[in-house]
Structure formats: C-alpha cells, structure tokens
Amino acid sequence: MYQYFKTILSKFLDLTPERKIYNQDYIAELDRHTRIIQIPGSIIGVFGMLGFAFDTDAKLHPEFPELFYFRIGYSLLCFSYIVFIIYNHFKNKFSSWEGLTWAYLTYAYLLFTAAYYTGRIADDAPYVSGYQMLVMILPFLPLPRKTLFIYYPISILIFFISVYVYKPDLSTAASAYSMQNLAISYILGIFSGLIMERYRFHSFLNHKRIIKKNEEITKTVDEIQTLKSQQDGDYFLTSLLLEPLLGHETDGNAVNIETVVNQYKKFYFRNKEYQLGGDYVSVFNLILQGKRYKAFINGDAMGKSIQGAGGAIVLGAVYNSIIIRSKMDPVSSNRSPERWLHDCYLDLQKVFETFDGAMLVSAVVGLLEESTGTLYFINLEHPWVILYRDGKAKFIEDEIHYYKLGVMEVPTNRFISVFQLQKGDKIICGSDGKDDLVISESGRYREINEDQNLILNCLEESEGDVNNVISILKTRGKFSDDLSLISMEYNLGSFSKPGVYWEEAKKFIKLKQYSKALDILLSYNSALEISIKELKYITRLYEKEGILLKAMEYASLALENFPSDTRWMFHTSVLYKRLYSIYKSKSFLEESQELGERVRLRQPANIGNLIHLADVCRLNGDKDRANYLVGLIKTMSPEHPKLKEIISVI
C-alpha cells in the first residue's frame, strides 16, 4: 500500500530524475525569466496600490487606517527595488537580490500582508475576492514549485490567525460564499500551479535536449482535477487561466487575420458577461529558416464548459511553449515548415496521450508563409479547411488522415498538407460549432443540422466576412456547441506570368535548339523578372547542357518562390544528388536529404522519393535511416524493380 501511494504521489508531483539533474540550470533559467519582469513588475507595484491607499480604503474601511501603511509599504518596497536595480545595472553589477529574490520578497509581502488584513475584514466580500486574485497570481510567476507549498500554508495560517484575533462576522451568506470561493482559489492555485510549473519545466527540459541533440522530448502531465463546483466564481477563475494563452499577432500587410471565439457557456460575474468553453484560437508570428510565417491553431477540446476549458488550457499552454521555444532556440527555428508541423503534432500528441483518452482535442495546426502564400497544415479530425476565392467557398480537403489529439493510436502514414494561395484568397478554419446548429426543437428530440455545406453557403452570403457569418448562422438555427473561426486573407501579388522572351524561347525548345532557348531566357535584366515557369525551363536547359551548378541555382530559386510544388522539390533534391556525384561535397548531400525528407512528409507513399532518399542516406553514411526507408519500400511495394538494387548497395 505504501509503495502504491508512493508511486501515485511520484507521478502526481512529476518526480522525474531530470529534476535533480537539471535543478541548478532550471533555477538559473527561472531567475533569468524573473529578471526580465522585475522592472515592469516593480513599476506596476509602485502605482498599483496608491488608489486604494489614498481613496478606496479610507471610504470603505475608515476603522482600519493600518491599510494605508500596508499599501504604501508595498509601493515603497517596489520603488526601492527600482532604484536598487537601476543602480546595479548602471554599475554593471550582478546582485543575487535581483531575479528570484526580488520575486520571493515582493510576492511574500503582497500575499502575507493581504492575508492579514483580509482576515481582519473577511466579512467584506470584495476584499476577499481581491485576495483570491492575489492567490491565483502565484501559478503564473516563474518560481520553483516548492514556493506553492511554502507560501500558501503560511498565508492560510496568517489569514486564520487574523480571523481568530479580530473575529469578523462570517455568519452571513455572502461571507460563506466568499470563503468557499477563497478555498476554491487555493485549490485551483495548487493544481494550476503544478500544471503550469510542469509545462514550464518540461519546456526548459525540451530546450536542453534539443541543444544536446541526443535526447527525446519527454513530457508528462497529470489529469486535470475535475472541477466539481459550477459556481460563477469557478468559471471566472478558469477563464482567467485561458485568456493569456490566446495569441493574436496580426502585424504586417501580407496576411489579414480575423478570429471569432463564441463559447457556448455564458456566465455573469460582477455584473459582466464572460464566456467559457473548449475552443481555442491562436495566431503567432514565426520565423523558420529565415522566412516569416503565421503559425495558427484552431482547436476544439472534448467536453462542455469547464471540462472543455481544461483541455483548451492544456492545448494553449503546450502550444505556447512550442512557439516560445521556436522563437528562442536557433535549432528549432532552423527547421523546415513540414518538420516544424510534424514535431509540433508529436509534442501535442505526447502530452494528450498522458490522459489515457480522457481528454481529446480536434484541431487544425498550420503555417502560412507570408512571402509566397504557401499554406502548410495538419487536420486532426477537425472540420475541413475552407477556401474562399472569387466569391465562392469550397473545402480544400476531402478526407481526414489524422485522429484527434489524445487518441492512443498514432497514424503511421503521417503527412503534411500543402496548398497554394493566390492574391485575395481567404482560408477559413472553424470548429464544428458552425455546423452543429439546432434547426428544430419541436417534438421530443432536437433536429441537428447534417448539411456540411451550410457553412459554405453562409460564407458566400457574408462575402467571406467571418464576423457577419455568425449573424447569418443564427438565422439558420441555434448554436449547440462552442464556435471558433480563423480567417486569413492573403494580400500579396500572384506569381508573375512568363515574360516577353517566353514565346520566342518556346520556338527554339521545340526545334531542340536548347542553347539558343537558354540565351533568350537569360536576356532578362534581373532574375526577379523571370517567372517560375521560365526558371524551371532554364533549370532543365542547363541540365541538358550539363551545367549542373547553374541548373541547381535556378532550380533553388524556383523552389524558393514556389515551395508548394512537391514534384519540383523532388526534382531539386535529385539534382543536388547529381551534383554530389560530381563534386563529392557533403553539403549537396545534406541539401538533397533535407528536400527528400520534406517531400516524404508531404507524400509518404511516394516510392520514387523513398528510393532516392534511401540512397542519399546511404551516401551520407546514415545506414540506419537508409535501412528504415528500405523497410517502408518493402511494405509498400515489395516488387519494385529498384528495390533489389538499393538493397544490394546498402
């Protein structure tokens, strides 16, 4: 029994060996994060309490003048920190009083003094609610988790001592309600603190393993504690957890982004309406291999209200950590968009697998390249992605190849969908709330819409405006689920058409006078004037002339401007391999393998690419990878004529 309890406790507290191994590095990382926020945090602390000190407290509790000194004391503490920090930075000194020590002291003062004076006036519900917010701040501070188990008990003890000494009237219904909410805030603070700290630590651990290149990401999360109470205070606190995880970076002119989140559960807290549900939407700026992308996700967690919100919080926390890692880590930001999406899916899947099927999430995760309009995405059993072009809406998918996040069976033939946008195109992703409309409630059973094309008609009627489409959907039926939409409109010009020399060059190509055709196509003043189609022909003409270095130059330029062409990507990969056979430069092999792997992520069943990639891996000395690819070829096409040849050379 003891061992069983010890095992459960170990899993709950995430007592992994890595915590001891990386403890000092982890604490240093937390200290670094805390130093980033200490100046703005101290500035907020200087002015945050002044309104209470000089106005509110005196009006509400004139019998308690000591409140003024608590408030002013905090302002003075923060001000002294600002002076101290600025002085140290001016002198280029590194002080241990900054960083974590600053966070420990400032939050301890704030929490413990608040525990004392809130206990003294515990019959005042607004002051108790303010104290609840202070309690819930701790999980979001970059502090070691032991802080939870030290600060919370001390603050509870101080609160009870203050209540015992001053004996406020807690017999009223409002006071009982406040005390219940305060207890719930402590419970939520502990569980959310453990969860957030776990994500923070595993994000740090993942960063360490990526740098070392020889360890896998291991993340474990415990099941989220099922929220038993359905009081409005619970919903409000939960919505506070989800709000900071929503990303909406929409700068730049290349892509116009609109998002709509209409959670099914509406509730009132302090006379304001809030919403809570399992839908999640985020759009972030991301740079991969020097190119700007819009990284977006539209997710729908299983369950209603708090259950769904729990899944959305987990999804948002993990996705945000992936984005932050990709922005901060040079290795992560040097991946191709296909590899980034593939790794993002695996990271999310590993987290949700730990719930053993108790929490499932459908989602569309994607990247939109700003310079070319190339869309990369994975659909995880989410409603199909919609294209709105020239006043018409249609699906760009016709089947689903992935399961929801959290399903234990991971598909083996994983691949990345690629779509090319034109100027003025809109891509719309949405949860199933847009389809699950109640169109009739007459009789014993509700009639739910089963027409998946309904949203297409509504989008055409709204001219692609996702804000207006909500109003139109309401005229068709009643919402029965959370609804979220992302609309991304691509604004850059379409690809250039063949220029003035194209028709003349085609004549020489038909006459097989390739040198003259090549000279004509090279007559443009700049490579920027050459269309993609002409770049491809120049590549092939150089290949016919045997000038492979020049062919590679133009092939790469064509691929750079039109990366959605998977066939051309494969052709370029083969061209790099041919260059290696001539110049024996490993860099050509590495480029060939990189492009071949990208083709495989797009088309895992492309036998020609698998054979080519296996041979490239062999030449690159990666025999394990080559043998693995050969095994795939044997499974897919055991009678392929080139299979024996590749086996013999490996």
Side-chain angles (χ1 to χ4, degrees):
M1 184 66 181
Y2 172 75
Q3 290 297 330
Y4 179 72
F5 176 77
K6 183 178 179 181
T7 302
I8 293 177
L9 186 63
S10 177
K11 290 183 179 180
F12 178 76
L13 294 177
D14 190 32
L15 300 179
T16 58
E18 289 85 353
R19 286 193 175 271
K20 291 185 179 180
I21 297 173
Y22 297 109
N23 183 61
Q24 291 185 350
D25 291 342
Y26 180 52
I27 295 298
E29 181 72 6
L30 293 178
D31 185 77
R32 187 180 66 83
H33 283 286
T34 310
R35 287 173 181 273
I36 295 174
I37 64 172
Q38 61 187 4
I39 286 291
S42 297
I43 293 174
I44 293 173
V46 169
F47 300 100
M49 297 293 182
L50 296 181
F52 294 98
F54 290 101
D55 184 38
T56 307
D57 293 335
K59 292 179 179 178
L60 295 180
H61 290 281
E63 82 287 355
F64 189 11
E66 292 88 348
L67 272 174
F68 176 82
Y69 301 108
F70 291 138
R71 308 287 194 186
I72 293 299
Y74 184 69
S75 297
L76 292 175
L77 176 63
C78 292
F79 180 77
S80 64
Y81 258 116
I82 294 174
V83 174
F84 177 72
I85 292 168
I86 292 176
Y87 176 79
N88 283 341
H89 288 193
F90 181 76
K91 294 293 186 178
N92 291 323
K93 293 182 179 179
F94 182 89
S95 174
S96 60
W97 285 90
E98 300 180 43
L100 283 177
T101 305
W102 166 84
Y104 288 142
L105 292 177
T106 53
Y107 185 73
Y109 181 93
L110 191 63
L111 183 65
F112 298 156
T113 57
Y116 169 73
Y117 68 70
T118 305
R120 180 170 174 176
I121 53 175
D123 53 349
D124 191 330
Y127 276 79
V128 177
S129 297
Y131 182 55
Q132 294 171 29
M133 295 180 66
L134 291 180
V135 171
M136 290 302 298
I137 288 174
L138 182 55
F140 297 95
L141 296 177
L143 298 175
R145 62 180 177 177
K146 64 182 180 182
T147 314
L148 284 169
F149 303 107
I150 296 174
Y151 279 25
Y152 276 179
I154 293 175
S155 65
I156 292 172
L157 179 61
I158 293 173
F159 180 82
F160 277 118
I161 291 174
S162 181
V163 169
Y164 178 78
V165 171
Y166 294 102
K167 296 180 174 52
D169 184 10
L170 301 181
S171 61
T172 64
S175 297
Y177 180 81
S178 297
M179 292 302 102
Q180 291 177 28
N181 281 344
L182 181 58
I184 290 171
S185 68
Y186 270 110
I187 295 172
L188 284 175
I190 291 173
F191 281 98
S192 60
L194 291 175
I195 292 170
M196 294 297 292
E197 194 278 340
R198 178 174 296 202
Y199 293 140
R200 190 181 295 123
F201 174 75
H202 282 281
S203 177
F204 159 80
L205 183 60
N206 190 33
H207 178 70
K208 296 288 289 186
R209 288 176 173 175
I210 289 173
I211 294 176
K212 292 183 177 180
K213 299 181 181 179
N214 59 0
E215 298 178 2
E216 294 183 3
I217 300 174
T218 57
K219 289 188 178 182
T220 57
V221 291
D222 202 358
E223 293 183 357
I224 296 179
Q225 173 69 24
T226 303
L227 302 177
K228 298 180 179 180
S229 174
Q230 299 299 315
Q231 296 176 347
D232 290 345
D234 298 334
Y235 290 129
F236 176 68
L237 293 174
T238 306
S239 67
L240 288 181
L241 293 175
L242 182 59
E243 186 65 28
L245 300 175
L246 302 175
H248 194 70
E249 298 178 349
T250 58
D251 59 306
N253 300 319
V255 184
N256 287 339
I257 299 173
E258 293 180 324
T259 60
V260 174
V261 178
N262 183 29
Q263 308 284 19
Y264 182 71
K265 176 63 181 178
K266 304 291 192 301
F267 66 96
Y268 284 89
F269 186 77
R270 295 184 181 177
N271 299 321
K272 289 185 179 181
E273 186 182 58
Y274 298 92
Q275 59 180 358
L276 186 70
D279 275 18
Y280 177 77
V281 171
S282 272
V283 183
F284 288 98
N285 296 319
L286 192 63
I287 296 178
L288 297 175
Q289 296 181 332
K291 292 186 176 182
R292 285 177 56 88
Y293 293 85
K294 294 296 183 185
F296 65 91
I297 184 171
N298 176 216
D300 182 5
M302 178 185 70
K304 304 288 186 181
S305 301
I306 287 186
Q307 182 185 4
I313 289 172
V314 175
L315 178 65
V318 179
Y319 185 73
N320 274 258
S321 70
I322 293 171
I323 293 293
I324 292 171
R325 183 184 66 207
S326 299
K327 289 184 176 183
M328 296 178 62
D329 181 29
V331 176
S332 296
S333 63
N334 197 35
R335 289 176 291 178
S336 65
E338 294 90 349
R339 174 56 61 186
W340 188 92
L341 277 178
H342 180 264
D343 292 347
C344 178
Y345 162 71
L346 291 180
D347 286 348
L348 293 170
Q349 174 64 16
K350 285 179 182 178
V351 170
F352 281 95
E353 277 182 357
T354 62
F355 294 99
D356 294 327
M359 183 177 291
L360 305 179
V361 176
S362 70
V364 170
V365 188
L367 293 168
L368 177 57
E369 186 181 337
E370 295 186 12
S371 60
T372 64
T374 305
L375 176 69
Y376 307 84
F377 67 94
I378 298 176
N379 190 321
L380 306 169
E381 214 171 330
H382 205 62
W384 293 337
V385 178
I386 301 170
L387 170 67
Y388 181 79
R389 175 183 289 173
D390 299 330
K392 297 293 182 181
K394 66 176 182 179
F395 298 112
I396 62 174
E397 306 171 83
D398 54 11
E399 56 182 323
I400 301 297
H401 301 277
Y402 285 81
Y403 303 121
K404 288 182 173 68
L405 290 171
V407 175
M408 302 304 292
E409 184 180 353
V410 178
T412 54
N413 261 356
R414 302 186 293 270
F415 73 96
I416 310 300
S417 299
V418 182
F419 187 80
Q420 183 61 53
L421 296 183
Q422 300 175 8
K423 184 178 182 180
D425 284 354
K426 281 188 178 181
I427 286 294
I428 297 100
C429 306
S431 63
D432 55 8
K434 68 185 187 306
D435 303 312
D436 297 340
L437 299 178
V438 180
I439 56 179
S440 175
E441 291 185 294
S442 60
R444 295 179 57 187
Y445 303 102
R446 298 188 304 175
E447 183 181 352
I448 304 295
N449 169 60
E450 296 181 355
D451 181 13
Q452 66 177 1
N453 294 321
L454 174 64
I455 183 62
L456 302 182
N457 299 330
C458 292
L459 278 170
E460 291 176 1
E461 186 176 340
S462 68
E463 298 180 347
D465 190 329
V466 293
N467 291 299
N468 290 338
V469 81
I470 301 297
S471 302
I472 296 174
L473 285 171
K474 288 180 179 178
T475 65
R476 302 293 198 272
K478 182 180 178 181
F479 293 126
S480 64
D481 200 355
D482 304 327
L483 168 61
S484 57
L485 295 168
I486 300 179
S487 170
M488 294 179 290
E489 181 179 11
Y490 187 64
N491 297 322
L492 296 187
S494 57
F495 299 105
S496 59
K497 297 179 180 179
V500 295
Y501 300 112
W502 172 239
E503 293 298 329
E504 185 179 357
K506 279 201 305 185
K507 295 178 183 178
F508 287 107
I509 292 173
K510 290 179 180 179
L511 296 173
K512 297 185 178 181
Q513 297 182 18
Y514 301 126
S515 296
K516 291 184 178 180
L518 182 60
D519 291 338
I520 291 173
L521 290 175
L522 294 174
S523 299
Y524 291 101
N525 295 326
S526 169
L528 298 176
E529 300 178 13
I530 308 176
S531 67
I532 293 170
K533 187 173 185 179
E534 289 170 313
L535 288 171
K536 291 179 180 179
Y537 267 94
I538 292 173
T539 300
R540 295 186 184 278
L541 290 172
Y542 269 127
E543 288 183 71
K544 290 181 180 294
E545 295 290 322
I547 309 175
L548 296 187
L549 280 175
K550 278 291 184 181
M552 179 269 291
E553 179 183 339
Y554 282 91
S556 299
L557 187 58
L559 187 61
E560 182 82 9
N561 292 322
F562 195 51
S564 60
D565 191 339
T566 306
R567 292 180 63 184
W568 189 253
M569 184 175 287
F570 173 70
H571 180 87
T572 307
S573 178
V574 173
L575 181 57
Y576 272 112
K577 179 184 171 184
R578 291 174 61 189
L579 282 169
Y580 170 76
S581 65
I582 297 173
Y583 298 101
K584 304 301 180 183
S585 173
K586 279 284 187 179
S587 62
F588 292 137
L589 268 187
E590 291 170 357
E591 289 291 340
S592 180
Q593 183 171 350
E594 168 71 8
L595 293 176
E597 293 287 2
R598 292 180 65 181
V599 172
R600 180 174 175 268
L601 285 173
R602 298 184 186 187
Q603 298 177 347
N606 187 331
I607 300 297
N609 180 65
L610 289 176
I611 292 173
H612 159 69
L613 187 56
D615 193 42
V616 171
C617 292
R618 174 189 67 85
L619 293 171
N620 215 9
D622 192 352
K623 290 188 177 181
D624 291 339
R625 182 66 174 167
N627 286 323
Y628 170 74
L629 294 171
V630 168
L632 293 179
I633 299 169
K634 288 180 180 178
T635 302
M636 296 180 190
S637 182
E639 303 300 327
H640 197 280
K642 291 190 176 182
L643 182 58
K644 291 183 179 179
E645 179 182 342
I646 189 66
I647 292 176
S648 64
V649 295
I650 290 179

